[in-house]
Each structure stands twice: as structure tokens, then as C-alpha cells.
């Protein structure tokens, strides 16, 4: 059985960029479907740290507070 549904945006990839985009679009009221190609969730961490620009973007999205971002960017 096929079920039809309508979304505004389809994001392929659930890495840092895909998840950040999905969060931002959802906060703006845009319906999002996020898909990835892995059968099972990865059980480790692939990230070794955050770049200063990423922290600035997260600050703009309200994910981190300004003082937390400035502490990491120097």
C-alpha cells in the first residue's frame, strides 16, 4: 500500500549539515523529511570538534549561547 504525503523539502544526509538545515527549516515552518542511506545508526562519533564558523551559525540558530560560542572561537 502506498501512502501519499506532501513535504516542502527533502534532505538527503543526516550529518551535521543535513541536521542543521532540517532544524533551521523546521523552525521556519517548512515541512522537512530527512533521509539517509545507512541501514543502522552509526554508534560512534565522526566529529572531532567544531570550527569557529560552525559555532557562529549555531549561535544564529539559537543552538548555543553567545558566550559559549565566543569562548571557543578565541
Amino acid at each position: 500500500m502506498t501512502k501519499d504525503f506532501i513535504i516542502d523539502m527533502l534532505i538527503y544526509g543526516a550529518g551535521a549539515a543535513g541536521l542543521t538545515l532540517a532544524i533551521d527549516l523546521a523552525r521556519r515552518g517548512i515541512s522537512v523529511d530527512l533521509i539517509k542511506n545507512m541501514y543502522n545508526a552509526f554508534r560512534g562519533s565522526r566529529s572531532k570538534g567544531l570550527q569557529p564558523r560552525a559555532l557562529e551559525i549555531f549561535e544564529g540558530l539559537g543552538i548555543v549561547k553567545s558566550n559559549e560560542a565566543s569562548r571557543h572561537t578565541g
Side-chain angles (χ1 to χ4, degrees):
M1 177 185 223
T2 302
K3 184 177 179 182
D4 294 331
F5 58 95
I6 297 174
I7 58 169
D8 296 319
M9 179 67 65
L10 175 66
I11 301 172
Y12 180 80
L19 290 173
T20 302
L21 178 60
I23 290 168
D24 188 39
L25 292 173
R27 285 182 172 180
R28 296 168 189 260
I30 298 170
S31 64
V32 175
D33 196 3
L34 183 65
I35 60 174
K36 64 180 196 162
N37 64 351
M38 293 181 67
Y39 181 71
N40 292 321
F42 184 72
R43 296 199 180 264
S45 174
R46 294 185 179 144
S47 176
K48 302 297 183 209
L50 293 172
Q51 296 295 321
R53 181 64 182 135
L55 288 169
E56 292 171 5
I57 292 169
F58 290 163
E59 179 185 356
L61 293 172
I63 297 171
V64 297
K65 294 180 183 174
S66 178
N67 61 347
E68 293 172 359
S70 63
R71 184 174 31 170
H72 297 287
T73 60

